[in-house]
Amino acid sequence: YLPDEGDLGRLVAALAKGEGMTVDRPVAERIAGEAGSNQAIIASELAKYALYLGASIASPKALTHDVIDLLGS
């Protein structure tokens, strides 16, 4: 089963939430696209962004295009 773009966007949002981040749809779709739909890469990238932002479930942070541009994917 290969997830479609909508499924991947929801996956990114769910994984980001678990890392203490919020993401809007365009950001989620960008992450999924740049990761080539590879779920392990998506999880790794989200962990990197969360660490940079100091995000946690207790103190959520917004993941934006600016952060992705700064850190790369």
Side-chain angles (χ1 to χ4, degrees), residues 8-23 31 38-44 46-47 50 57:
L8 284 171
R10 287 187 289 280
L11 172 71
V12 170
L15 291 173
K17 184 176 181 181
E19 293 281 353
M21 295 180 292
T22 59
V23 319
I31 292 167
N38 183 315
Q39 295 178 27
I41 293 173
I42 291 170
S44 175
L46 289 172
I57 293 173

Side-chain angles (χ1 to χ4, degrees), residues 28 35 56 65:
S56 69
H65 287 290

